[in-house]
């Protein structure tokens, strides 16, 4: 039997029943990578010898009666996570030979759960793109069309899942880096509530692996089924044992509902600052129609929704203030001069990004206070709704575009060009307030490319969008292997 596209849940059941061994699953996954990955370039750092050793150990553990959540299941890990003995470069050429001494906390949790790690997956340089390419490892193609991007920054992980290279992967998300690749490659991903899963060891080289509470950025699971997202999130979630874990234990509330008919859903097709392309709009409406068909309460607008234009500008301020914190002093001064020359009435996203790069602490505190007001607005909305359905990006996967700087690129939305970075505001709807969001497949574009949408849920109620994703998978279908 070919096991490459089975879910992690199915593989766990087959392993438990003795229908297959971890060694057999691992050998099959490695053979598939060696056969197919030259055309996709998803696995940038293979670790096959240690994977085979881990598979043998998993089979021995199972023979002794052990049963861990991921025991013997082949998985991959985003390149940006530290793994002892393997390079962690973030695609930065000067760190091509940097090898950390210990595993990231999430890699340790995978190993403790019994996973077999096949290797690391490709990323963009410094993780700051929604395409995955760098000078060290090259470009990752989309398994549906190798001439198109697999997304970023967890593009290698999404491509690996779509190509059958392991059952699960772990990635990270600041500007849609879990959700966008899932959308482009037709798989599932979950951006957890901010702070739910510790990020220690998911750090740019040669930074120390400290238990830092990141602003905006999270780590999270990727899979080919919604149920597998929950399986992997349960491994990843919980406080860092070096800090909050000293005093706290995790107790996520259950999903609000168990039937589609009980859900109250707000559907958002458009963003005030960027249009939604026709293919993605069709995906949003496909999900909305399925909800209506099952008897769910579906609304198209609500006065409770926080101002999304203001939220987008605030998101850019906060995100770019973080991204620019390590800029050289001379570059920072040039940006300060440019920002000072902006018209005070300039409320474009370009202006917000520039202001964010030179944001002083006083202004950051004011921006953070505004964020808290948005979070309160979302709490009020989620008293009336259980989830929000909306786009992840305006378009399906686009052709590789590595031209110039990010600020110079454009994105084509149904024949009209927009600034490349502006499309991030859709992912930012969940990122800025720190909300959980689950990316699900929602059909195909007229060109046959995957289209996904995101299900945004209440803070720390991650099981609600995850359960909704599982129910929608049964209703509209889920992952399909590339043809």
């Amino acid at each position: 039997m070919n096991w490459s596209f089975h879910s992690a849940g199915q593989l766990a059941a087959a392993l438990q029943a003795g229908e297959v061994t971890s060694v057999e699953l691992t050998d099959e996954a490695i053979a598939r990578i060696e056969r197919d990955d030259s055309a996709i370039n998803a696995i940038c750092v293979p670790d096959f010898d240690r994977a085979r050793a881990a598979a043998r150990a998993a089979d021995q553990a199972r023979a002794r009666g052990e049963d861990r959540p991921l025991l013997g299941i082949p998985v991959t890990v985003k390149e940006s996570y530290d793994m002892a003995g393997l390079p962690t470069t973030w695609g930065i050429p000067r760190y091509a030979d940097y090898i950390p001494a210990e595993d990231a906390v999430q890699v340790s949790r995978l190993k403790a759960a019994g996973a077999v790690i096949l290797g690391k997956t490709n990323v963009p340089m410094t993780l700051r793109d929604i395409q995955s390419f760098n000078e060290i490892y090259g470009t990752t193609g989309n398994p549906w069309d190798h001439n198109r991007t697999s997304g970023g920054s967890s593009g290698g992980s999404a491509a690996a899942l779509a190509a059958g290279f392991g059952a699960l992967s772990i990635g990270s998300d600041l500007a849609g880096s879990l959700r966008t690749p899932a959308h482009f490659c037709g798989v599932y991903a979950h951006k957890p509530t901010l702070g739910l899963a510790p990020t220690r060891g998911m750090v740019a080289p040669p930074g120390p692996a400290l238990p830092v509470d990141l602003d905006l950025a999270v780590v999270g699971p990727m899979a080919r089924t919604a149920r597998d997202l929950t399986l992997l999130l349960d491994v990843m979630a919980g406080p860092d044992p070096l800090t909050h874990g000293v005093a706290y234990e995790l107790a996520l509330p259950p999903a609000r509902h168990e039937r589609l008919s009980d859900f109250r859903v707000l559907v958002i097709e458009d963003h005030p600052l960027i249009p939604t392309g026709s293919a993605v709009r069709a995906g949003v409406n496909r999900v909305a129609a399925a909800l209506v068909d099952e008897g769910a309460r579906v609304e198209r607008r609500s006065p409770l929704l926080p101002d999304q234009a203001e939220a987008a500008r605030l998101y850019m301020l906060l995100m770019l203030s973080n991204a620019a914190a390590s800029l050289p002093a001379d570059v920072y001064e040039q940006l300060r001069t440019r920002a000072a020359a902006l018209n005070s009435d300039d409320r474009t996203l370009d202006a917000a990004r520039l202001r964010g790069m030179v944001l002083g602490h006083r202004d950051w505190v004011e921006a953070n206070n505004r964020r808290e007001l948005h979070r309160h607005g979302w709490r009020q909305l989620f008293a009336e709704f259980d989830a929000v359905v909306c786009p992840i990006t305006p378009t399906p996967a686009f052709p590789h575009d590595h031209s110039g700087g990010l600020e110079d690129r454009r994105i084509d939305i149904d024949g009209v060009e927009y600034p490349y970075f502006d499309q991030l505001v859709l992912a930012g709807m969940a990122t800025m307030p720190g909300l959980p969001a689950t990316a699900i497949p929602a059909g195909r574009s007229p060109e046959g490319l995957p289209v996904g949408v995101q299900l945004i849920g209440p803070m720390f109620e991650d099981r609600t969008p995850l359960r909704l994703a599982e129910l929608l998978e049964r209703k509209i279908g889920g992952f399909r292997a590339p043809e």
Side-chain angles (χ1 to χ4, degrees), residues 420-446:
Y420 184 77
F421 258 140
D422 284 9
Q423 63 187 305
L424 302 185
V425 299
L426 291 164
M429 288 178 64
T431 301
M432 190 275 288
L435 301 172
T438 306
I440 68 168
R444 300 286 177 267
S445 73

Side-chain angles (χ1 to χ4, degrees), residues 327-349:
L327 288 174
D330 59 333
V331 175
Y332 180 76
E333 288 304 319
Q334 293 171 16
L335 292 169
R336 276 168 52 100
T337 301
R338 287 175 51 198
L342 287 172
N343 188 305
S344 60
D345 294 330
D346 189 341
R347 294 175 59 77
T348 62
L349 291 173

Side-chain angles (χ1 to χ4, degrees), residues 32-43:
R32 179 174 285 271
I33 293 168
E34 291 177 336
R35 186 190 74 195
D36 295 343
D37 198 39
S38 60
I40 299 169
N41 194 33
I43 310 298

Side-chain angles (χ1 to χ4, degrees), residues 283-315:
V284 172
N285 286 319
R286 190 173 296 115
V287 171
L291 289 165
V292 170
D293 187 59
E294 287 295 309
R297 174 190 156 196
V298 175
E299 304 288 345
R300 293 284 182 160
R301 58 185 55 83
S302 170
L304 296 172
L305 182 69
D307 183 334
Q308 289 305 297
E310 181 192 20
R313 298 184 189 100
L314 186 54
Y315 172 54

Side-chain angles (χ1 to χ4, degrees), residues 231-275:
L231 173 68
L232 185 49
L233 181 66
D234 285 346
V235 170
M236 299 181 72
D240 191 311
L242 296 185
T243 53
H244 299 294
V246 174
Y248 306 139
E249 292 182 356
L250 180 66
L252 285 178
R256 290 187 176 187
H257 307 294
E258 290 297 322
R259 299 182 303 174
L260 280 179
S261 59
D262 293 331
F263 275 86
R264 304 164 298 167
V265 180
L266 178 63
V267 174
I268 301 173
E269 290 183 48
D270 297 296
H271 192 280
L273 299 184
I274 195 166

Side-chain angles (χ1 to χ4, degrees), residues 91-110:
I92 305 170
R94 69 179 179 275
Y95 295 119
D97 298 323
Y98 176 76
I99 298 178
E102 60 184 25
D103 291 338
V105 64
Q106 294 299 344
V107 172
S108 296
R109 288 182 175 184
L110 284 179

Side-chain angles (χ1 to χ4, degrees), residues 114-296:
V116 173
I117 301 176
L118 298 167
K120 302 179 80 175
T121 59
N122 203 21
V123 297
M125 188 172 75
T126 68
L127 312 190
R128 291 177 184 170
D129 201 346
I130 57 172
Q131 303 178 73
S132 292
F133 69 97
N134 60 74
E135 293 181 17
I136 302 172
Y137 299 121
T139 299
T140 298
N142 192 310
W144 288 84
D145 180 346
H146 298 170
N147 295 314
R148 294 176 183 263
T149 182
S150 62
S153 62
S154 308
S157 288
L161 287 167
F165 305 160
L168 302 167
S169 194
I170 58 173
S172 61
D173 192 310
L174 168 67
S177 288
L178 284 160
R179 293 163 286 163
T180 296
H183 157 45
F184 285 174
C185 293
V187 299
Y188 288 80
H190 181 69
K191 184 199 90 64
T193 297
L194 182 66
L196 184 65
T199 61
R200 177 163 49 91
M202 215 288 295
V203 58
L210 300 175
V212 177
D213 292 329
L214 299 178
D215 189 30
L216 300 173
V218 302
V219 296
M222 307 182 78
R224 285 190 294 267
T225 71
R227 181 169 290 187
D228 278 359
L229 288 180
T230 299
L231 173 68
L232 185 49
L233 181 66
D234 285 346
V235 170
M236 299 181 72
D240 191 311
L242 296 185
T243 53
H244 299 294
V246 174
Y248 306 139
E249 292 182 356
L250 180 66
L252 285 178
R256 290 187 176 187
H257 307 294
E258 290 297 322
R259 299 182 303 174
L260 280 179
S261 59
D262 293 331
F263 275 86
R264 304 164 298 167
V265 180
L266 178 63
V267 174
I268 301 173
E269 290 183 48
D270 297 296
H271 192 280
L273 299 184
I274 195 166
T276 300
S278 57
V280 173
R281 186 182 301 276
V284 172
N285 286 319
R286 190 173 296 115
V287 171
L291 289 165
V292 170
D293 187 59
E294 287 295 309

